C-alpha cells in the first residue's frame, strides 16, 4: 500500500533549506518508483547456469554468404568431416569447468564444456588427461553434483593405456540444471558400487 | 521510550508489513569496500561468475521491476529477467566505462532484452482495441517512470538493511509513523530521525540522478 505521504509526516519539520529540498526530491522519487517487486523463490536463488550459456548469435546475411563461399572452397566432404568432429552438438560452447585430480588421481586434470540446452539435454564435452587406465569392465563415470552430493549420472567412459594421451568424450545431462550445480568424475568403488571414489573435481576458482 | 508494563495499551490494529529480514540488533555501519558496478562488469566480461552473482544481487529487483512494468505478467517478466542477465553475461565485455556509467549500460541491455521479449509475445489484446482517449501514461511517460523506478530500486539495494527497513516501513507498509513506532517499539521521534537518516543516504546515492 502506498499512501501519498507528506514528507513532514515521515521525518518531521525540522529539516529546512537545501537539505530539505534534497530530501523532498528523493521522497518524490520513492513515491513515483513504488515498492520494489517481490522476487519469486526462483529469482531469489541467484543466477542460473542457463544465463551463462552462450546462444548462437544471429548470423548476418554477409556472414552467411562468406560462410557459403568458404564451404564451397573447402568442399562438401571436408565440411562434413569438420562438422562430424566438432564434438558436442555443433552448438557454440558455453560454460567451461576446469577439473583437477583428487588424491585418488593426483596427476589427472580435465575440462568440461557444457553446451546450450537442446530439448532439455545439456550436451557436454569432457577432455581429460592423466587418469590411470582401469581394469577391464571398469569405467569412469561423470556425475552431476547438487548440494555437494552426486545427484545424477551423466555417462561413463574409459581411457587408454597411456595416461598422457588426452581423451575426449561427449556426454549429456538430461536434467534441469540449477545454480550451484557442478560435476565430478568418479571411479567405481570395490564391486562396482556407485558413485565410487571421486578422481576429478572442480578446481578452486581463482580471482 | 520503550513501552513499560504500566503503559496504557493502544487499541490500534497494526497491519503486519512484509519485509526482508534484518538483524534484530543495530549493526555498525561497515566500510563500503564492495566493488563498483563498472569493475564487476569488467570481471563479468572475463567470465567471472562470482562477479556475475554480485551484479545479479544488485540488479535483479530493478530488472524484474522493469520487466513487470513493461510486460505486465510475472511469468513473462521472470523469463525476461533470465534473458536480460544472459544478455549481460554475453555482452559485458563490450562495456566501455568511458562511454557512460555501468548502471546506464545495464539498463539499456535489460530494456532491450525486455523489448525483444515483448515483440516475441506478439500483438496483445490491448493492441486490437480501438484507439480511445486514455488517462494511462503514454510511452514516453512510462519510460520515464521505469527509469526512476530502476534508479530508486537499484539505490535501495545499497542501503544498509536497517535503513532499507525504515524506508520500506515508512513508504510501503501502509502504516503511519506512529504505527511504525509501535511496531518497532521505538519512540516516534526516533522513527522519524531514522527515516530521515535513511532518506538522506538514499538521496546521496541518487544525487547524480536528481
Amino acid at each position: 500500500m502506498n499512501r501519498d505521504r507528506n514528507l513532514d509526516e515521515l521525518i518531521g519539520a525540522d529539516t529546512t533549506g537545501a537539505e530539505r529540498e534534497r530530501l523532498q526530491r528523493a521522497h518524490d522519487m520513492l513515491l513515483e518508483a513504488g515498492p520494489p517487486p517481490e522476487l519469486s523463490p526462483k529469482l531469489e536463488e541467484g543466477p542460473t547456469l542457463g544465463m551463462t550459456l552462450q546462444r548462437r548469435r544471429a548470423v548476418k546475411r554477409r556472414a552467411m554468404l562468406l560462410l557459403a563461399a568458404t564451404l564451397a572452397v573447402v568442399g562438401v566432404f571436408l565440411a562434413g568431416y569438420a562438422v562430424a568432429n566438432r564434438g558436442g552438438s555443433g552448438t557454440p560452447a558455453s560454460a567451461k569447468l576446469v577439473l583437477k585430480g583428487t588424491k585418488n588421481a593426483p596427476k589427472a586434470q580435465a575440462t568440461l564444456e557444457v553446451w546450450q540446452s537442446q530439448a532439455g539435454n545439456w550436451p557436454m564435452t569432457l577432455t581429460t588427461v592423466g587418469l590411470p587406465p582401469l581394469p577391464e569392465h571398469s569405467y569412469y563415470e561423470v556425475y552431476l553434483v547438487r548440494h555437494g552430493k552426486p545427484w545424477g549420472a551423466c555417462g561413463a567412459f574409459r581411457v587408454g593405456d597411456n595416461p598422457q594421451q588426452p581423451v575426449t568424450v561427449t556426454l549429456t545431462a538430461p536434467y534441469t540444471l540449477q545454480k550451484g550445480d557442478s560435476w565430478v568424475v568418479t571411479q567405481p568403488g570395490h564391486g562396482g558400487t556407485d558413485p565410487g571414489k571421486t578422481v576429478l573435481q572442480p578446481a578452486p576458482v581463482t580471482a | 521510550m520503550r513501552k513499560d508494563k504500566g503503559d496504557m495499551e493502544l487499541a490500534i490494529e497494526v497491519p503486519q508489513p512484509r519485509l526482508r529480514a534484518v538483524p534484530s540488533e543495530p549493526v555498525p555501519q561497515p566500510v563500503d569496500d564492495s566493488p563498483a558496478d563498472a569493475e564487476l562488469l569488467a570481471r563479468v566480461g572475463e567470465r567471472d561468475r562470482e562477479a556475475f552473482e554480485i551484479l545479479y544481487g544488485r540488479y535483479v529487483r530493478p530488472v524484474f521491476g522493469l520487466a513487470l512494468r513493461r510486460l505486465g505478467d510475472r511469468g513473462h517478466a521472470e523469463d525476461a529477467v533470465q534473458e536480460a542477465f544472459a544478455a549481460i553475461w554475453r555482452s559485458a565485455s563490450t562495456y566501455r566505462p568511458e562511454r557512460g556509467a555501468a548502471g546506464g549500460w545495464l539498463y539499456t541491455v535489460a530494456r532491450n532484452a525486455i523489448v525483444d521479449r515483448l515483440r516475441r509475445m506478439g500483438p496483445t489484446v490491448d493492441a486490437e482495441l480501438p484507439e480511445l482517449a486514455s488517462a494511462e501514461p503514454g510511452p514516453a511517460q512510462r519510460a520515464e517512470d521505469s527509469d526512476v523506478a530502476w534508479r530508486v530500486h537499484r539505490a535501495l539495494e545499497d542501503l544498509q538493511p536497517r535503513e532499507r527497513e525504515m524506508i520500506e516501513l515508512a513508504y510501503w507498509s501502509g502504516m503511519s509513523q506512529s504505527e511504525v513506532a509501535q511496531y518497532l517499539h521505538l519512540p516516534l521521534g526516533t522513527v522519524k530521525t531514522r527515516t530521515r537518516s535513511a532518506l538522506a543516504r538514499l538521496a546521496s546515492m541518487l544525487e547524480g540522478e536528481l
Side-chain angles (χ1 to χ4, degrees), chain A residues 3 5 10 15 22 27 29 32-34 37-38 40 43 48 51-52 54-55 95, chain B residues 47 49 56 61 69 74 78 82 89-90 145 153 170-171 174-175 177 196 204 207 210:
Chain A
R3 294 177 184 174
R5 295 291 174 82
L10 298 180
T15 313
R22 198 174 76 96
H27 170 82
M29 287 180 80
E32 188 176 335
E38 292 281 334
S40 66
L43 290 178
T48 62
M51 289 176 186
T52 57
Q54 292 180 348
R55 284 187 305 181
Chain B
R47 298 293 177 255
R49 284 165 193 277
Y56 179 92
R61 283 176 202 280
R69 279 167 184 262
R74 287 188 72 88
E78 284 194 19
Q82 175 88 8
W89 173 264
R90 282 198 306 274
D145 292 349
H153 295 164
Y171 284 88
M175 291 192 281
Q177 289 294 65
R196 186 181 59 203
S204 298
E207 206 89 74
L210 295 172

mmCIF file of all heavy atoms in Angstrom, chain A residues 3 5 10 15 22 27 29 32-34 37-38 40 43 48 51-52 54-55 95, chain B residues 47 49 56 61 69 74 78 82 89-90 145 153 170-171 174-175 177 196 204 207 210:
data_model
loop_
_atom_site.group_PDB
_atom_site.id
_atom_site.type_symbol
_atom_site.label_atom_id
_atom_site.label_comp_id
_atom_site.label_asym_id
_atom_site.label_seq_id
_atom_site.Cartn_x
_atom_site.Cartn_y
_atom_site.Cartn_z
ATOM 1 N N ARG A 3 0.469 5.040 0.688
ATOM 2 C CA ARG A 3 -0.257 6.273 0.989
ATOM 3 C C ARG A 3 0.543 7.429 0.420
ATOM 4 O O ARG A 3 1.751 7.418 0.429
ATOM 5 C CB ARG A 3 -0.381 6.441 2.502
ATOM 6 C CG ARG A 3 -1.242 5.375 3.147
ATOM 7 C CD ARG A 3 -1.257 5.574 4.644
ATOM 8 N NE ARG A 3 -1.987 4.521 5.304
ATOM 9 C CZ ARG A 3 -2.063 4.393 6.620
ATOM 10 N NH1 ARG A 3 -1.446 5.248 7.415
ATOM 11 N NH2 ARG A 3 -2.730 3.406 7.155
ATOM 12 N N ARG A 5 2.267 10.027 0.978
ATOM 13 C CA ARG A 5 2.797 10.554 2.219
ATOM 14 C C ARG A 5 3.322 11.976 2.071
ATOM 15 O O ARG A 5 3.881 12.345 1.045
ATOM 16 C CB ARG A 5 3.940 9.665 2.723
ATOM 17 C CG ARG A 5 3.512 8.266 3.103
ATOM 18 C CD ARG A 5 2.653 8.349 4.342
ATOM 19 N NE ARG A 5 2.075 7.078 4.724
ATOM 20 C CZ ARG A 5 2.706 6.144 5.407
ATOM 21 N NH1 ARG A 5 3.952 6.303 5.776
ATOM 22 N NH2 ARG A 5 2.092 5.043 5.738
ATOM 23 N N LEU A 10 6.737 12.047 7.719
ATOM 24 C CA LEU A 10 7.711 10.955 7.798
ATOM 25 C C LEU A 10 8.964 11.321 8.579
ATOM 26 O O LEU A 10 9.520 10.481 9.297
ATOM 27 C CB LEU A 10 8.114 10.503 6.392
ATOM 28 C CG LEU A 10 6.992 9.946 5.519
ATOM 29 C CD1 LEU A 10 7.538 9.539 4.160
ATOM 30 C CD2 LEU A 10 6.331 8.755 6.193
ATOM 31 N N THR A 15 13.970 19.747 9.310
ATOM 32 C CA THR A 15 14.930 19.938 8.222
ATOM 33 C C THR A 15 14.444 21.036 7.289
ATOM 34 O O THR A 15 13.294 21.006 6.835
ATOM 35 C CB THR A 15 15.121 18.634 7.431
ATOM 36 O OG1 THR A 15 15.315 17.573 8.364
ATOM 37 C CG2 THR A 15 16.310 18.713 6.510
ATOM 38 N N ARG A 22 16.592 18.539 -1.005
ATOM 39 C CA ARG A 22 17.255 17.301 -1.438
ATOM 40 C C ARG A 22 16.428 16.078 -1.008
ATOM 41 O O ARG A 22 16.195 15.166 -1.786
ATOM 42 C CB ARG A 22 18.653 17.257 -0.794
ATOM 43 C CG ARG A 22 19.634 16.320 -1.430
ATOM 44 C CD ARG A 22 21.002 16.499 -0.783
ATOM 45 N NE ARG A 22 21.078 15.885 0.537
ATOM 46 C CZ ARG A 22 21.564 14.660 0.759
ATOM 47 N NH1 ARG A 22 22.017 13.958 -0.255
ATOM 48 N NH2 ARG A 22 21.604 14.161 1.975
ATOM 49 N N HIS A 27 12.279 11.806 -1.799
ATOM 50 C CA HIS A 27 10.940 11.402 -1.364
ATOM 51 C C HIS A 27 10.004 11.261 -2.569
ATOM 52 O O HIS A 27 9.305 10.253 -2.712
ATOM 53 C CB HIS A 27 10.425 12.475 -0.388
ATOM 54 C CG HIS A 27 8.981 12.362 -0.025
ATOM 55 N ND1 HIS A 27 8.521 11.497 0.940
ATOM 56 C CD2 HIS A 27 7.888 13.031 -0.494
ATOM 57 C CE1 HIS A 27 7.200 11.625 1.054
ATOM 58 N NE2 HIS A 27 6.800 12.549 0.205
ATOM 59 N N MET A 29 10.820 10.763 -5.646
ATOM 60 C CA MET A 29 11.235 9.638 -6.486
ATOM 61 C C MET A 29 10.767 8.311 -5.882
ATOM 62 O O MET A 29 10.363 7.399 -6.602
ATOM 63 C CB MET A 29 12.758 9.636 -6.662
ATOM 64 C CG MET A 29 13.258 10.726 -7.589
ATOM 65 S SD MET A 29 15.051 10.722 -7.801
ATOM 66 C CE MET A 29 15.273 9.410 -9.001
ATOM 67 N N GLU A 32 7.180 7.904 -6.644
ATOM 68 C CA GLU A 32 6.979 7.609 -8.058
ATOM 69 C C GLU A 32 7.385 6.177 -8.393
ATOM 70 O O GLU A 32 6.716 5.501 -9.175
ATOM 71 C CB GLU A 32 7.797 8.591 -8.902
ATOM 72 C CG GLU A 32 7.498 8.482 -10.373
ATOM 73 C CD GLU A 32 8.250 9.521 -11.182
ATOM 74 O OE1 GLU A 32 8.612 10.579 -10.622
ATOM 75 O OE2 GLU A 32 8.496 9.263 -12.375
ATOM 76 N N ALA A 33 8.480 5.735 -7.768
ATOM 77 C CA ALA A 33 9.002 4.402 -8.089
ATOM 78 C C ALA A 33 8.102 3.303 -7.546
ATOM 79 O O ALA A 33 7.931 2.262 -8.170
ATOM 80 C CB ALA A 33 10.411 4.254 -7.534
ATOM 81 N N GLY A 34 7.542 3.524 -6.375
ATOM 82 C CA GLY A 34 6.774 2.455 -5.740
ATOM 83 C C GLY A 34 7.709 1.408 -5.167
ATOM 84 O O GLY A 34 8.930 1.492 -5.328
ATOM 85 N N PRO A 37 9.665 -4.953 -6.599
ATOM 86 C CA PRO A 37 8.800 -6.134 -6.704
ATOM 87 C C PRO A 37 9.278 -7.262 -5.808
ATOM 88 O O PRO A 37 10.472 -7.387 -5.536
ATOM 89 C CB PRO A 37 8.933 -6.524 -8.175
ATOM 90 C CG PRO A 37 10.267 -6.017 -8.579
ATOM 91 C CD PRO A 37 10.499 -4.766 -7.790
ATOM 92 N N GLU A 38 8.334 -8.062 -5.360
ATOM 93 C CA GLU A 38 8.680 -9.284 -4.632
ATOM 94 C C GLU A 38 9.278 -10.265 -5.631
ATOM 95 O O GLU A 38 8.723 -10.478 -6.707
ATOM 96 C CB GLU A 38 7.421 -9.906 -4.037
ATOM 97 C CG GLU A 38 6.799 -9.105 -2.923
ATOM 98 C CD GLU A 38 7.525 -9.306 -1.601
ATOM 99 O OE1 GLU A 38 8.144 -10.374 -1.431
ATOM 100 O OE2 GLU A 38 7.485 -8.397 -0.768
ATOM 101 N N SER A 40 10.324 -13.999 -6.928
ATOM 102 C CA SER A 40 9.918 -15.394 -6.750
ATOM 103 C C SER A 40 11.101 -16.150 -6.144
ATOM 104 O O SER A 40 12.256 -15.700 -6.250
ATOM 105 C CB SER A 40 9.558 -16.002 -8.102
ATOM 106 O OG SER A 40 10.720 -16.074 -8.909
ATOM 107 N N LEU A 43 13.897 -16.555 -8.611
ATOM 108 C CA LEU A 43 14.762 -15.398 -8.839
ATOM 109 C C LEU A 43 15.635 -15.115 -7.622
ATOM 110 O O LEU A 43 16.749 -14.626 -7.747
ATOM 111 C CB LEU A 43 13.925 -14.163 -9.176
ATOM 112 C CG LEU A 43 13.232 -14.168 -10.544
ATOM 113 C CD1 LEU A 43 12.405 -12.895 -10.720
ATOM 114 C CD2 LEU A 43 14.243 -14.288 -11.667
ATOM 115 N N THR A 48 21.154 -18.397 -12.845
ATOM 116 C CA THR A 48 21.137 -19.806 -13.223
ATOM 117 C C THR A 48 22.266 -20.085 -14.209
ATOM 118 O O THR A 48 22.801 -19.168 -14.839
ATOM 119 C CB THR A 48 19.809 -20.164 -13.908
ATOM 120 O OG1 THR A 48 19.693 -19.379 -15.102
ATOM 121 C CG2 THR A 48 18.623 -19.873 -12.998
ATOM 122 N N MET A 51 21.857 -18.760 -17.721
ATOM 123 C CA MET A 51 22.188 -17.371 -18.056
ATOM 124 C C MET A 51 23.607 -17.246 -18.605
ATOM 125 O O MET A 51 23.906 -16.319 -19.339
ATOM 126 C CB MET A 51 22.087 -16.485 -16.814
ATOM 127 C CG MET A 51 20.684 -16.257 -16.330
ATOM 128 S SD MET A 51 20.731 -15.310 -14.805
ATOM 129 C CE MET A 51 19.005 -15.339 -14.331
ATOM 130 N N THR A 52 24.458 -18.164 -18.206
ATOM 131 C CA THR A 52 25.865 -18.037 -18.588
ATOM 132 C C THR A 52 26.230 -18.969 -19.736
ATOM 133 O O THR A 52 27.403 -19.168 -20.015
ATOM 134 C CB THR A 52 26.774 -18.320 -17.396
ATOM 135 O OG1 THR A 52 26.476 -19.621 -16.889
ATOM 136 C CG2 THR A 52 26.559 -17.297 -16.305
ATOM 137 N N GLN A 54 26.170 -19.532 -23.677
ATOM 138 C CA GLN A 54 26.049 -18.650 -24.829
ATOM 139 C C GLN A 54 25.078 -19.209 -25.838
ATOM 140 O O GLN A 54 25.006 -20.403 -26.050
ATOM 141 C CB GLN A 54 27.410 -18.474 -25.497
ATOM 142 C CG GLN A 54 28.359 -17.708 -24.617
ATOM 143 C CD GLN A 54 29.696 -17.537 -25.280
ATOM 144 O OE1 GLN A 54 29.985 -18.170 -26.275
ATOM 145 N NE2 GLN A 54 30.513 -16.685 -24.701
ATOM 146 N N ARG A 55 24.337 -18.311 -26.432
ATOM 147 C CA ARG A 55 23.464 -18.694 -27.534
ATOM 148 C C ARG A 55 24.174 -18.385 -28.837
ATOM 149 O O ARG A 55 25.021 -17.518 -28.916
ATOM 150 C CB ARG A 55 22.167 -17.886 -27.483
ATOM 151 C CG ARG A 55 21.237 -18.362 -26.421
ATOM 152 C CD ARG A 55 19.933 -17.644 -26.550
ATOM 153 N NE ARG A 55 20.118 -16.197 -26.534
ATOM 154 C CZ ARG A 55 19.120 -15.343 -26.614
ATOM 155 N NH1 ARG A 55 17.903 -15.774 -26.738
ATOM 156 N NH2 ARG A 55 19.331 -14.045 -26.586
ATOM 157 N N ALA A 95 29.597 -22.782 -20.900
ATOM 158 C CA ALA A 95 30.308 -22.826 -19.617
ATOM 159 C C ALA A 95 31.433 -23.855 -19.700
ATOM 160 O O ALA A 95 31.240 -24.948 -20.212
ATOM 161 C CB ALA A 95 29.343 -23.190 -18.519
ATOM 162 N N ARG B 47 34.373 -13.489 -17.732
ATOM 163 C CA ARG B 47 33.686 -14.726 -17.324
ATOM 164 C C ARG B 47 33.878 -15.054 -15.842
ATOM 165 O O ARG B 47 34.079 -16.201 -15.476
ATOM 166 C CB ARG B 47 34.131 -15.905 -18.208
ATOM 167 C CG ARG B 47 33.797 -15.708 -19.673
ATOM 168 C CD ARG B 47 32.286 -15.723 -19.823
ATOM 169 N NE ARG B 47 31.865 -15.471 -21.198
ATOM 170 C CZ ARG B 47 31.351 -14.322 -21.612
ATOM 171 N NH1 ARG B 47 31.216 -13.300 -20.783
ATOM 172 N NH2 ARG B 47 30.934 -14.180 -22.837
ATOM 173 N N ARG B 49 32.232 -15.642 -12.593
ATOM 174 C CA ARG B 49 30.873 -15.953 -12.137
ATOM 175 C C ARG B 49 30.553 -15.311 -10.790
ATOM 176 O O ARG B 49 29.403 -14.977 -10.497
ATOM 177 C CB ARG B 49 30.692 -17.472 -12.043
ATOM 178 C CG ARG B 49 30.528 -18.098 -13.393
ATOM 179 C CD ARG B 49 30.712 -19.586 -13.361
ATOM 180 N NE ARG B 49 30.839 -20.079 -14.712
ATOM 181 C CZ ARG B 49 29.812 -20.345 -15.509
ATOM 182 N NH1 ARG B 49 28.584 -20.184 -15.065
ATOM 183 N NH2 ARG B 49 29.995 -20.767 -16.734
ATOM 184 N N TYR B 56 24.135 -9.617 -10.163
ATOM 185 C CA TYR B 56 22.753 -10.126 -10.167
ATOM 186 C C TYR B 56 22.025 -9.675 -8.901
ATOM 187 O O TYR B 56 20.900 -9.184 -8.954
ATOM 188 C CB TYR B 56 22.788 -11.652 -10.260
ATOM 189 C CG TYR B 56 21.417 -12.316 -10.248
ATOM 190 C CD1 TYR B 56 20.751 -12.597 -11.434
ATOM 191 C CD2 TYR B 56 20.809 -12.676 -9.052
ATOM 192 C CE1 TYR B 56 19.504 -13.208 -11.431
ATOM 193 C CE2 TYR B 56 19.564 -13.282 -9.030
ATOM 194 C CZ TYR B 56 18.915 -13.548 -10.221
ATOM 195 O OH TYR B 56 17.678 -14.157 -10.196
ATOM 196 N N ARG B 61 16.243 -7.003 -8.747
ATOM 197 C CA ARG B 61 14.973 -6.323 -8.469
ATOM 198 C C ARG B 61 14.678 -5.212 -9.487
ATOM 199 O O ARG B 61 13.562 -5.127 -10.009
ATOM 200 C CB ARG B 61 14.963 -5.772 -7.044
ATOM 201 C CG ARG B 61 14.718 -6.826 -6.007
ATOM 202 C CD ARG B 61 14.812 -6.281 -4.589
ATOM 203 N NE ARG B 61 15.076 -7.354 -3.656
ATOM 204 C CZ ARG B 61 14.145 -8.183 -3.181
ATOM 205 N NH1 ARG B 61 12.891 -8.006 -3.528
ATOM 206 N NH2 ARG B 61 14.458 -9.161 -2.367
ATOM 207 N N ARG B 69 6.813 -3.914 -15.263
ATOM 208 C CA ARG B 69 6.134 -2.709 -15.758
ATOM 209 C C ARG B 69 5.872 -2.802 -17.255
ATOM 210 O O ARG B 69 4.838 -2.375 -17.742
ATOM 211 C CB ARG B 69 7.003 -1.470 -15.480
ATOM 212 C CG ARG B 69 6.884 -0.970 -14.063
ATOM 213 C CD ARG B 69 7.985 0.041 -13.768
ATOM 214 N NE ARG B 69 7.924 0.449 -12.377
ATOM 215 C CZ ARG B 69 7.341 1.552 -11.949
ATOM 216 N NH1 ARG B 69 6.792 2.366 -12.804
ATOM 217 N NH2 ARG B 69 7.329 1.845 -10.671
ATOM 218 N N ARG B 74 3.918 -11.727 -14.466
ATOM 219 C CA ARG B 74 5.074 -12.202 -13.686
ATOM 220 C C ARG B 74 5.833 -13.313 -14.413
ATOM 221 O O ARG B 74 7.047 -13.366 -14.375
ATOM 222 C CB ARG B 74 4.621 -12.702 -12.305
ATOM 223 C CG ARG B 74 4.233 -11.594 -11.355
ATOM 224 C CD ARG B 74 3.986 -12.137 -9.953
ATOM 225 N NE ARG B 74 5.210 -12.541 -9.275
ATOM 226 C CZ ARG B 74 5.971 -11.730 -8.554
ATOM 227 N NH1 ARG B 74 5.645 -10.478 -8.414
ATOM 228 N NH2 ARG B 74 7.058 -12.181 -7.961
ATOM 229 N N GLU B 78 9.631 -12.934 -15.425
ATOM 230 C CA GLU B 78 10.715 -13.811 -14.941
ATOM 231 C C GLU B 78 11.556 -14.320 -16.110
ATOM 232 O O GLU B 78 12.782 -14.384 -16.021
ATOM 233 C CB GLU B 78 10.133 -14.992 -14.163
ATOM 234 C CG GLU B 78 9.678 -14.597 -12.779
ATOM 235 C CD GLU B 78 9.407 -15.799 -11.888
ATOM 236 O OE1 GLU B 78 9.892 -16.902 -12.195
ATOM 237 O OE2 GLU B 78 8.710 -15.612 -10.877
ATOM 238 N N GLN B 82 15.654 -13.660 -16.962
ATOM 239 C CA GLN B 82 16.609 -14.690 -17.404
ATOM 240 C C GLN B 82 17.335 -14.218 -18.670
ATOM 241 O O GLN B 82 18.555 -14.290 -18.782
ATOM 242 C CB GLN B 82 15.818 -15.979 -17.681
ATOM 243 C CG GLN B 82 16.618 -17.131 -18.267
ATOM 244 C CD GLN B 82 17.251 -18.010 -17.192
ATOM 245 O OE1 GLN B 82 16.957 -17.836 -16.014
ATOM 246 N NE2 GLN B 82 18.131 -18.893 -17.590
ATOM 247 N N TRP B 89 25.581 -11.204 -19.429
ATOM 248 C CA TRP B 89 26.731 -12.118 -19.404
ATOM 249 C C TRP B 89 27.433 -12.148 -20.764
ATOM 250 O O TRP B 89 28.647 -12.080 -20.848
ATOM 251 C CB TRP B 89 26.245 -13.524 -19.012
ATOM 252 C CG TRP B 89 27.291 -14.591 -19.103
ATOM 253 C CD1 TRP B 89 27.509 -15.443 -20.143
ATOM 254 C CD2 TRP B 89 28.288 -14.919 -18.118
ATOM 255 N NE1 TRP B 89 28.557 -16.276 -19.862
ATOM 256 C CE2 TRP B 89 29.052 -15.984 -18.638
ATOM 257 C CE3 TRP B 89 28.596 -14.416 -16.853
ATOM 258 C CZ2 TRP B 89 30.111 -16.555 -17.930
ATOM 259 C CZ3 TRP B 89 29.648 -14.986 -16.149
ATOM 260 C CH2 TRP B 89 30.397 -16.035 -16.690
ATOM 261 N N ARG B 90 26.636 -12.205 -21.821
ATOM 262 C CA ARG B 90 27.218 -12.319 -23.161
ATOM 263 C C ARG B 90 27.948 -11.055 -23.579
ATOM 264 O O ARG B 90 28.994 -11.115 -24.226
ATOM 265 C CB ARG B 90 26.121 -12.599 -24.192
ATOM 266 C CG ARG B 90 25.620 -14.012 -24.240
ATOM 267 C CD ARG B 90 24.890 -14.260 -25.562
ATOM 268 N NE ARG B 90 23.833 -13.288 -25.804
ATOM 269 C CZ ARG B 90 22.606 -13.406 -25.342
ATOM 270 N NH1 ARG B 90 22.280 -14.437 -24.607
ATOM 271 N NH2 ARG B 90 21.694 -12.489 -25.613
ATOM 272 N N ASP B 145 8.964 6.765 -16.016
ATOM 273 C CA ASP B 145 8.609 6.114 -14.757
ATOM 274 C C ASP B 145 9.495 4.898 -14.511
ATOM 275 O O ASP B 145 9.973 4.667 -13.407
ATOM 276 C CB ASP B 145 7.138 5.669 -14.775
ATOM 277 C CG ASP B 145 6.187 6.857 -14.764
ATOM 278 O OD1 ASP B 145 6.655 7.983 -14.530
ATOM 279 O OD2 ASP B 145 4.989 6.646 -15.009
ATOM 280 N N HIS B 153 15.177 1.621 -7.138
ATOM 281 C CA HIS B 153 15.294 0.239 -6.668
ATOM 282 C C HIS B 153 16.745 -0.209 -6.635
ATOM 283 O O HIS B 153 17.147 -0.990 -5.777
ATOM 284 C CB HIS B 153 14.459 -0.694 -7.553
ATOM 285 C CG HIS B 153 12.987 -0.415 -7.469
ATOM 286 N ND1 HIS B 153 12.069 -0.871 -8.371
ATOM 287 C CD2 HIS B 153 12.268 0.311 -6.554
ATOM 288 C CE1 HIS B 153 10.857 -0.462 -8.040
ATOM 289 N NE2 HIS B 153 10.960 0.262 -6.941
ATOM 290 N N ALA B 170 8.212 3.135 6.145
ATOM 291 C CA ALA B 170 7.657 4.481 6.030
ATOM 292 C C ALA B 170 6.811 4.642 4.766
ATOM 293 O O ALA B 170 5.778 5.300 4.790
ATOM 294 C CB ALA B 170 8.785 5.515 6.039
ATOM 295 N N TYR B 171 7.269 4.014 3.671
ATOM 296 C CA TYR B 171 6.617 4.295 2.394
ATOM 297 C C TYR B 171 5.631 3.228 1.933
ATOM 298 O O TYR B 171 4.660 3.545 1.260
ATOM 299 C CB TYR B 171 7.678 4.506 1.303
ATOM 300 C CG TYR B 171 8.339 5.851 1.409
ATOM 301 C CD1 TYR B 171 9.459 6.034 2.214
ATOM 302 C CD2 TYR B 171 7.835 6.961 0.723
ATOM 303 C CE1 TYR B 171 10.062 7.267 2.343
ATOM 304 C CE2 TYR B 171 8.436 8.203 0.833
ATOM 305 C CZ TYR B 171 9.540 8.357 1.648
ATOM 306 O OH TYR B 171 10.119 9.586 1.768
ATOM 307 N N GLY B 174 2.055 0.669 4.658
ATOM 308 C CA GLY B 174 0.675 1.047 4.911
ATOM 309 C C GLY B 174 0.465 1.571 6.323
ATOM 310 O O GLY B 174 -0.662 1.896 6.708
ATOM 311 N N MET B 175 1.539 1.637 7.094
ATOM 312 C CA MET B 175 1.417 2.118 8.478
ATOM 313 C C MET B 175 1.772 3.598 8.556
ATOM 314 O O MET B 175 2.603 4.089 7.791
ATOM 315 C CB MET B 175 2.375 1.344 9.395
ATOM 316 C CG MET B 175 1.980 -0.105 9.591
ATOM 317 S SD MET B 175 2.911 -0.884 10.932
ATOM 318 C CE MET B 175 4.460 -1.229 10.147
ATOM 319 N N GLN B 177 3.579 6.668 10.777
ATOM 320 C CA GLN B 177 4.827 6.623 11.537
ATOM 321 C C GLN B 177 4.568 6.266 13.011
ATOM 322 O O GLN B 177 5.410 5.632 13.654
ATOM 323 C CB GLN B 177 5.576 7.967 11.434
ATOM 324 C CG GLN B 177 6.198 8.253 10.064
ATOM 325 C CD GLN B 177 7.331 7.319 9.673
ATOM 326 O OE1 GLN B 177 7.129 6.123 9.490
ATOM 327 N NE2 GLN B 177 8.545 7.857 9.542
ATOM 328 N N ARG B 196 14.621 9.876 8.363
ATOM 329 C CA ARG B 196 15.316 10.998 7.717
ATOM 330 C C ARG B 196 16.734 10.593 7.343
ATOM 331 O O ARG B 196 17.229 10.894 6.250
ATOM 332 C CB ARG B 196 15.360 12.206 8.656
ATOM 333 C CG ARG B 196 15.942 13.449 7.981
ATOM 334 C CD ARG B 196 15.984 14.617 8.932
ATOM 335 N NE ARG B 196 16.790 14.321 10.108
ATOM 336 C CZ ARG B 196 16.692 14.932 11.285
ATOM 337 N NH1 ARG B 196 15.791 15.872 11.462
ATOM 338 N NH2 ARG B 196 17.466 14.606 12.286
ATOM 339 N N SER B 204 21.649 10.814 -1.260
ATOM 340 C CA SER B 204 23.059 10.918 -1.661
ATOM 341 C C SER B 204 23.348 9.961 -2.815
ATOM 342 O O SER B 204 24.075 10.299 -3.755
ATOM 343 C CB SER B 204 23.979 10.595 -0.487
ATOM 344 O OG SER B 204 23.774 11.517 0.548
ATOM 345 N N GLU B 207 21.919 11.267 -5.901
ATOM 346 C CA GLU B 207 22.335 12.647 -6.158
ATOM 347 C C GLU B 207 22.678 12.917 -7.622
ATOM 348 O O GLU B 207 22.216 13.902 -8.193
ATOM 349 C CB GLU B 207 23.573 12.997 -5.311
ATOM 350 C CG GLU B 207 23.683 14.464 -5.034
ATOM 351 C CD GLU B 207 22.948 14.838 -3.758
ATOM 352 O OE1 GLU B 207 23.483 14.507 -2.690
ATOM 353 O OE2 GLU B 207 21.869 15.420 -3.835
ATOM 354 N N LEU B 210 19.520 13.203 -9.616
ATOM 355 C CA LEU B 210 18.485 14.195 -9.319
ATOM 356 C C LEU B 210 18.691 15.508 -10.076
ATOM 357 O O LEU B 210 19.777 15.810 -10.468
ATOM 358 C CB LEU B 210 18.458 14.479 -7.821
ATOM 359 C CG LEU B 210 18.043 13.310 -6.944
ATOM 360 C CD1 LEU B 210 18.246 13.650 -5.488
ATOM 361 C CD2 LEU B 210 16.610 12.935 -7.193
#
